[in-house]
């Protein structure tokens, strides 16, 4: 439904590159207003230039009093009247465009939608894929895999302060308020990783509160979901076994869950399939073994103010722990 694309950057975090009906309606509305205002601006500038060029000989001297004739009076009245009519028509065009877009956004199919729960935290995103069998509910963080071409119902709220869920390629932003549930419908029609960002100032690390929406064909999504629903793998080597013991005997268990082990706290992200995620710390760092090590030892130096405390352990303990975490695919 795009009239003419607005020129600009077409990356994976911009509303100028819509990948679903929600963002397409928004871009339609934006393009409509953008082109109308650009054309009006150009016409006004051209009229100004024509006036200046015509009067350039008389601009240096005191302006003469305006002399009107009945003929020039009539022409001026017609010109002003025509400009008013055009202005009203353009404003109504934008109003109707806005109404049509808003109506289309509200019409997305809720009945057949796939529901995903999103909870905003300072400063990360908790993501649940509800299932009728509670033990098959998938819990993950910051990477929201979704089936392509399927209406999605993102059901969201906040666990602390106000956040705003915004993936510009996909849909408009939606505030997540503590104690208040909200639903936003969206759909992604192109495969890819579409970056989102918290869009409501929520404290020191607001800028480091990003996420990815990963759109996949239905079959690939179901495979991902089944793999995420499984418990963590059991340690298969002495080092990995020691690493699991490090996890369970240090402060890690106070905040994190690894399904299939006694660790079951819900303060921080669920780590059952940590190694399957491409970033850590809500999109701040690529999920590499080095970054993970630095994050575990002193997250405060990477993301000051976040709730992950510094952890003291020996070099061997850290290596064993990292070896264990790397197995959590
Ligand atoms: Cu969460 Cu800004």
């Amino acid at each position: 439904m795009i009239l003419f694309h607005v020129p600009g950057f077409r990356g994976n975090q911009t509303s100028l590159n819509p990948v679903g009906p929600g963002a397409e309606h928004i871009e339609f509305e934006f393009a409509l207003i953008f082109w109308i205002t650009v054309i009006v601006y150009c016409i006004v500038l051209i009229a100004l230039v024509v006036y200046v060029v015509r009067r350039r000989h008389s601009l240096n001297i005191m302006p003469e009093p305006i002399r009107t004739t009945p003929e020039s009076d009539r022409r001026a009245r017609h010109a002003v009247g025509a400009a008013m009519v055009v202005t009203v028509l353009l404003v109504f065009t934008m109003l109707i465009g806005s109404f049509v877009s808003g109506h289309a956004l509200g019409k997305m199919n809720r009945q057949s939608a796939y529901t995903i729960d999103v909870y905003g935290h300072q400063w990360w995103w908790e993501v649940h894929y509800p299932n009728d069998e509670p033990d098959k509910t998938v819990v993950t963080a910051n990477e929201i895999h979704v089936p392509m071409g399927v209406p999605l119902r993102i059901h969201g709220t906040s666990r602390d302060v106000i956040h705003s869920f915004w993936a510009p390629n996909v849909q408009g932003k939606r505030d997540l308020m503590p104690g208040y549930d909200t639903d936003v419908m969206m759909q992604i029609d192109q495969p890819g990783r579409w970056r989102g960002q918290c869009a409501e100032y929520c404290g020191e690390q607001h800028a480091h509160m990003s996420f990815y929406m990963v759109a996949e064909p239905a079959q690939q999504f179901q495979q991902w979901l089944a793999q995420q629903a499984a418990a963590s793998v059991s340690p298969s080597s002495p080092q990995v076994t020691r690493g699991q013991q490090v996890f369970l005997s240090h402060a890690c268990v106070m905040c994190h869950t690894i399904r299939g082990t006694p660790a079951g706290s819900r303060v921080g992200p669920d780590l059952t399939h940590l190694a399957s995620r491409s970033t850590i710390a809500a999109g701040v760092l690529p999920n590499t073994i080095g970054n993970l090590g630095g994050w575990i030892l002193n997250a405060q130096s990477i993301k000051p103010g976040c709730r992950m405390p510094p952890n003291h352990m020996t070099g061997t303990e850290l290596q064993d722990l990292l070896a264990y975490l790397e197995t959590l695919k």
Side-chain angles (χ1 to χ4, degrees):
M1 234 180 116
I2 306 300
L3 287 181
F4 308 99
H5 279 292
V6 173
F9 172 65
R10 308 224 174 272
N12 74 339
Q13 188 183 317
T14 166
S15 52
L16 299 181
N17 180 21
V19 296
E24 269 172 23
H25 289 302
I26 291 169
E27 205 215 352
F28 163 76
E29 180 62 15
F30 179 64
L32 183 71
I33 294 175
F34 178 83
W35 288 116
I36 287 178
T37 47
V38 163
I39 291 167
V40 168
Y41 179 73
C42 292
I43 290 173
V44 169
L45 275 193
I46 290 168
L48 180 69
V49 169
V50 167
Y51 175 81
V52 169
V53 169
R54 276 197 187 166
R55 297 286 304 265
R56 65 187 183 282
H57 301 300
S58 57
L59 284 178
N60 295 334
I61 54 176
M62 287 291 286
E64 299 161 18
I66 296 171
R67 274 188 292 275
T68 60
T69 61
E71 173 61 14
S72 70
D73 243 10
R74 199 179 56 82
R75 281 218 315 267
R77 269 208 311 275
H78 282 179
V80 170
M84 263 170 56
V85 170
V86 170
T87 305
V88 169
L89 282 180
L90 289 180
V91 171
F92 266 94
T93 306
M94 292 191 267
L95 179 71
I96 291 167
S98 167
F99 178 78
V100 169
S101 304
H103 183 71
L105 284 179
K107 226 176 51 184
M108 287 175 74
N109 191 347
R110 268 163 204 280
Q111 305 312 318
S112 63
Y114 186 82
T115 297
I116 299 172
D117 297 334
V118 174
Y119 303 91
H121 290 258
Q122 280 175 319
W123 292 281
W124 59 283
W125 306 90
E126 179 182 348
V127 185
H128 290 214
Y129 294 77
N131 194 296
D132 293 338
E133 298 167 57
D135 65 325
K136 293 218 173 87
T137 293
V138 165
V139 181
T140 181
N142 306 322
E143 282 188 19
I144 308 172
H145 286 244
V146 302
M148 230 167 57
V150 172
L152 306 168
R153 174 175 158 264
I154 302 292
H155 169 251
T157 187
S158 167
R159 298 287 204 211
D160 38 49
V161 301
I162 302 175
H163 303 277
S164 187
F165 184 86
W166 189 31
N169 299 71
V170 183
Q171 178 60 294
K173 59 181 81 157
R174 180 60 62 96
D175 283 2
L176 307 183
M177 318 257 195
Y180 177 82
D181 288 39
T182 187
D183 272 348
V184 53
M185 298 296 300
M186 50 184 76
Q187 180 173 322
I188 306 183
D189 295 328
Q190 280 180 38
R193 292 167 58 80
W194 309 105
R195 193 176 187 278
Q197 169 68 41
C198 180
E200 174 74 34
Y201 181 72
C202 54
E204 202 178 348
Q205 295 296 339
H206 157 68
H208 289 154
M209 187 170 170
S210 62
F211 62 93
Y212 283 93
M213 296 196 78
V214 185
E216 298 166 327
Q219 196 189 352
Q220 205 179 329
F221 168 74
Q222 288 303 336
Q223 278 170 7
W224 174 86
L225 197 65
Q227 173 241 338
Q228 295 285 315
S232 62
V233 288
S234 301
S236 56
S237 78
Q239 188 189 26
V240 172
T241 308
R242 288 197 306 274
Q244 190 186 52
Q245 283 314 309
V246 172
F247 186 90
L248 295 173
S249 60
H250 280 71
C252 320
V253 278
M254 308 291 283
C255 297
H256 294 285
T257 291
I258 294 182
R259 279 171 277 137
T261 75
S265 177
R266 290 251 170 261
V267 178
D270 186 305
L271 302 181
T272 310
H273 297 285
L274 169 67
S276 72
R277 306 204 275 262
S278 63
T279 63
I280 55 171
V284 173
L285 294 170
N287 188 3
T288 63
I289 199 160
N291 286 337
L292 199 54
W295 178 253
I296 292 168
L297 287 182
N298 192 1
Q300 295 300 318
S301 69
I302 296 165
K303 204 166 167 179
C306 76
R307 297 191 69 185
M308 174 94 170
N311 290 286
H312 303 289
M313 56 185 70
T314 66
T316 316
E317 282 175 331
L318 180 65
Q319 278 179 354
D320 294 347
L321 176 59
L322 288 170
Y324 172 57
L325 294 176
E326 288 292 297
T327 66
L328 301 178
K329 297 257 195 275

